[in-house]
Amino acid sequence: MTEGPRIGKDEWVARSGENIERHRLLNAADRVPGWARLVLFCLFVAAIPLVTDDGYVNVIVFDTLIFCLLAIGLNVVVGWGGLLDLGYIAFFGIGAYTYAILSSDKFDIHLTSPLVMVICVVFGALIGLLVGLPSWRLSGDYLAIVTLFVYQIFISIVTNGNDLFGVDLTGGVNGIANIDPFDLFGRGIPVSHEGIFNSNYIYLALGVFVVVFAALYLVNHSRIGRAWRALREDELAAELMGMPTDWLKLLAFAFGAAVASLTGGLFASLKVGVFPESFSLTLLITVYAMLILGGVGSQTGAVLGAVAVYVFLEALRDPDVSGWVFYIAIVLALLLVIRPRWMVAGVLAATVVFGFVVHALAGAIDDTWTTTASPEADSVTRFLDAWVVIPTSPGDSRTIAYVGLVALVLLATTVKGVWRWLALVPTLYLAAFVWENVMSEQPDVTRFVLLGAMLVGVMVTRPSGLLGERRVEIV
Amino acid sequence: MDYDKLFQTIVNAATLGSTYALIALGYTIVYGILKLLNFAHGDVFMVGAYVGLGVLTVFGGAIDPSISIWLVLCLMVLAAMAACAVLGVVIERFAYRPLRDAPRIAPLISALGVSFFLSYSVQLLFGANHRTYDTFNMAGGKLYEPALTIGSFSISWLRVIGIVSAVLLMLALWFLVDRTRTGKAMRATSIDRDAAAMMGIDIDRVIMFAFVLSGALAGAAGVLFALRTDLFPTMGFTPGLFAFTAAVIGGIGSIPGAMLGGFLLGTVEALTVTYVTDWIGIPVGLSNLVIFSLLIVFMLVRPQGILGRPDIKKV
């Protein structure tokens, strides 16, 4: 149990000097003005297509910007308004479907894209107002569950939308294909140019991002933004101060929905088609993870979280680099958690020794438990094969090892002192075993397992995220 | 009037309802004590179904089990209950306890993370493809033979097992909560946690016990549910959502409320799938649309549920 506050002395205030010292780096970053940070970010993103014309990299940059937009939109509802909205992805989907219906061969409507974008924003905001209405009567968990129902309704309409009272609106499971690319008053921007991804889409997304970011920044620093924060901290107090709390909630929903819907339109303009699976719960939780990691309530945090999480997820998907990402992430996590820092080297060395011993034992007992790399393989692979036990037929040992790893990680977080060092060594080795035998075979699943674990870990150790606004509880 | 169809719908409603009631009880027990919406509960239910599959495989599968198939079924339910009780306690200890005094939104997000972690872990280990207990071949198809025949109507063994074991579990739960000292401590904690702590009740133990009960019920529900459907990593989501709603409709925190809500929701779903979609003239696939719209309206009209007390806020 933590010690409660002492009478006549505010713990948080007493430790403020220490807090300032500890976050010197973050405070230095804080002194850089907001616009300068935004300009730096934009220059960095804009430079990427100039450096490389690799289509894969450029699509990742575009998708990252889409996620940045989604994260700062969600930040309005969750971070500033303090309303848990689990139907957020439905608005993203509504925007994408609006774009797809208004500019594709589906109904043979081809409106110019800026107009469609305006329609997306207005339509999304209207639906957002409608979905926000229950917040007048419900709060907290109840509101979360109602918004989740809204998401379910959206999904069932979209998946069964090929026969809505005899009208084929959304194409059902097959979605809507052959969507027009972004069209600027009659001049279309083709998605790819001579087989190479058209980097103009990055500039387009960047432009939208800058406009939305600046607009939300201004809103946050206006009366409305201050009122939202008051609402989040204490609804009753805000109401007593004369704030129209009902309207503020609706406004937060509408802003979030409008941003998500606009992002959906942008997303649909690049992708060839929209399908119900593109708007899964996985996407919702990914966006939440981005916001949480960056820090709820901070726009810069949301952007940083989106970039970090998306790049991490994409890197794990690439079989060439995923192993590196995994092992480097482990070492970084150790560096963050372990004090004193030099112990990290000790733990790693002990793990290496432990691994060779286990490998030798396993090889001596049964030689089908280990594999030997071919001499042509690179040195890293040869080291791993001589160190990690890789059975030729893992069978049930995969499940046992996985459950054991989870148990060991949880154990290592509870024990203290010398026991923790002792627990870490087999934990790390088992992590390597699980990675080589289970995880590396299915990177697409692994990345979401790690994301879920990270979400819990961040929540438990640092609920305010990297740059989140700290709440001061006054007792 | 097609009486056969009506009868089938009623039986369907009872089977669905008993599963929903079991899961809903898990939500309501935890909510009553911690005021926490345990989003990961649906995934604990899913893990229970997979534990049942594991036990079935260990004993040689549905067609040729090494011991009596009825014994295997009992073991499946018991093993799933035990494993899910442990899982519930572990989740509470590591994902919820550190956040007990944090803002309300924090444990909710942590629960989302746990839910994500569980369903993708199962997918990692057992794949995303659908599996079954192969109940068609259990004991030579005995489970699908009628157990009870009234006139021209009959109920299969499968449904009888599902309904009877759910009712037995609910009776056991009622006994635990209403007639034992631990149950008394639980009720006291759910009324006022601080006052209960001052009376010498070990709050941590009560909360742990709540997760044991909620996990065990979810595990049993998982096996009973999977007797009738497929197993896949995201199978917990929809029943979990429905069951949570059942708990809310009955009045969250109220144990009879969760049972009532479960059966009510089972009835609504069975009726919607067979009749209502037909009346409105929409495809059966859209039955979720009707159900969720009804639920939203209900929650707006009576958020405290049928048996719940309104939440009066004092300043």
Side-chain angles (χ1 to χ4, degrees), chain A residues 95 111 130 149 196 243 245 257 334 350 365 397 453 468:
Chain A
L111 296 181
L130 204 66
F149 290 160
I196 298 166
M243 292 176 194
T245 48
L334 287 178
I365 297 169
S397 68

Side-chain angles (χ1 to χ4, degrees), chain B residues 110-156:
Chain B
S110 181
L112 280 179
V114 172
S115 152
F116 212 53
F117 179 78
L118 286 180
S119 68
Y120 274 103
S121 291
V122 168
Q123 188 176 341
L124 184 68
L125 293 172
F126 305 106
N129 45 339
H130 288 220
R131 290 154 175 254
T132 70
Y133 287 168
D134 200 8
T135 33
F136 278 111
N137 291 319
M138 267 187 191
K142 182 96 169 60
L143 286 176
Y144 282 86
E145 281 169 21
L148 214 69
T149 315
I150 312 161
S152 62
F153 312 123
S154 58
I155 311 177
S156 63

Side-chain angles (χ1 to χ4, degrees), chain A residues 359-373:
Chain A
H359 191 273
L361 283 176
I365 297 169
D366 189 337
D367 59 6
T368 62
W369 286 356
T370 51
T371 39
T372 328

Side-chain angles (χ1 to χ4, degrees), chain B:
Chain B
M1 187 94 192
D2 183 356
Y3 286 105
D4 209 35
K5 195 176 167 192
L6 183 69
F7 185 76
Q8 280 312 318
T9 312
I10 292 171
V11 174
N12 234 339
T15 350
L16 272 177
S18 61
T19 316
Y20 289 159
L22 280 184
I23 315 172
L25 282 169
Y27 277 114
T28 228
I29 294 169
V30 167
Y31 195 94
I33 287 174
L34 268 184
K35 302 282 170 284
L36 163 76
L37 164 49
N38 185 5
F39 263 117
H41 194 61
D43 297 278
V44 175
F45 159 87
M46 176 272 299
V47 170
Y50 272 86
V51 170
L53 183 66
V55 172
L56 187 64
T57 320
V58 166
F59 285 107
I63 300 172
D64 187 24
S66 50
I67 51 174
S68 156
I69 188 73
W70 305 105
L71 199 60
V72 174
L73 278 177
C74 289
L75 282 176
M76 280 160 70
V77 174
L78 290 177
M81 286 174 75
C84 291
V86 173
L87 183 63
V89 171
V90 170
I91 293 173
E92 191 273 327
R93 171 66 186 76
F94 290 98
Y96 302 151
R97 192 177 294 181
L99 297 171
R100 214 175 274 169
D101 298 318
R104 285 279 286 276
I105 209 168
L108 277 180
I109 290 168
S110 181
L112 280 179
V114 172
S115 152
F116 212 53
F117 179 78
L118 286 180
S119 68
Y120 274 103
S121 291
V122 168
Q123 188 176 341
L124 184 68
L125 293 172
F126 305 106
N129 45 339
H130 288 220
R131 290 154 175 254
T132 70
Y133 287 168
D134 200 8
T135 33
F136 278 111
N137 291 319
M138 267 187 191
K142 182 96 169 60
L143 286 176
Y144 282 86
E145 281 169 21
L148 214 69
T149 315
I150 312 161
S152 62
F153 312 123
S154 58
I155 311 177
S156 63
W157 277 107
L158 194 65
R159 294 188 184 274
V160 171
I161 292 175
I163 298 170
V164 169
S165 25
V167 170
L168 283 180
L169 283 168
M170 284 182 231
L171 283 177
L173 179 77
W174 169 80
F175 178 80
L176 264 176
V177 174
D178 213 62
R179 289 284 184 270
T180 62
R181 270 179 76 87
T182 323
K184 207 178 203 175
M186 281 177 70
R187 279 178 288 142
T189 313
S190 82
I191 292 169
D192 189 331
R193 199 202 297 177
D194 292 337
M198 281 181 227
M199 295 294 128
I201 294 173
D202 185 344
I203 299 296
D204 279 346
R205 260 194 53 191
V206 169
I207 291 174
M208 221 173 88
F209 192 65
F211 273 90
V212 166
L213 286 184
S214 122
L217 291 177
V223 173
L224 296 177
F225 189 76
L227 284 175
R228 301 192 307 271
T229 55
D230 287 359
L231 289 86
F232 50 96
T234 50
M235 67 181 276
F237 178 72
T238 316
L241 190 61
F242 276 18
F244 174 74
T245 326
V248 172
I249 286 182
I252 196 145
S254 145
I255 287 177
M259 299 180 192
L260 178 71
F263 282 105
L264 209 63
L265 207 75
T267 315
V268 169
E269 191 186 340
L271 283 180
T272 313
V273 171
T274 3
Y275 292 112
V276 179
T277 44
D278 224 25
W279 292 338
I280 310 180
I282 50 174
V284 180
L286 274 178
S287 59
N288 271 4
L289 176 76
V290 180
I291 298 172
F292 286 119
S293 310
L294 282 177
L295 294 177
I296 292 182
V297 172
F298 180 87
M299 290 197 44
L300 287 177
V301 176
R302 201 178 158 83
Q304 75 269 31
I306 299 173
L307 298 181
R309 279 161 298 144
D311 199 12
I312 298 166
K313 222 199 260 173
K314 279 181 254 174
V315 188

Side-chain angles (χ1 to χ4, degrees), chain A residues 423-438:
Chain A
L424 268 177
V425 173
T427 310
L428 289 175
Y429 184 69
L430 201 56
F433 177 85
V434 169
W435 173 263
E436 296 297 333
N437 287 293
V438 188

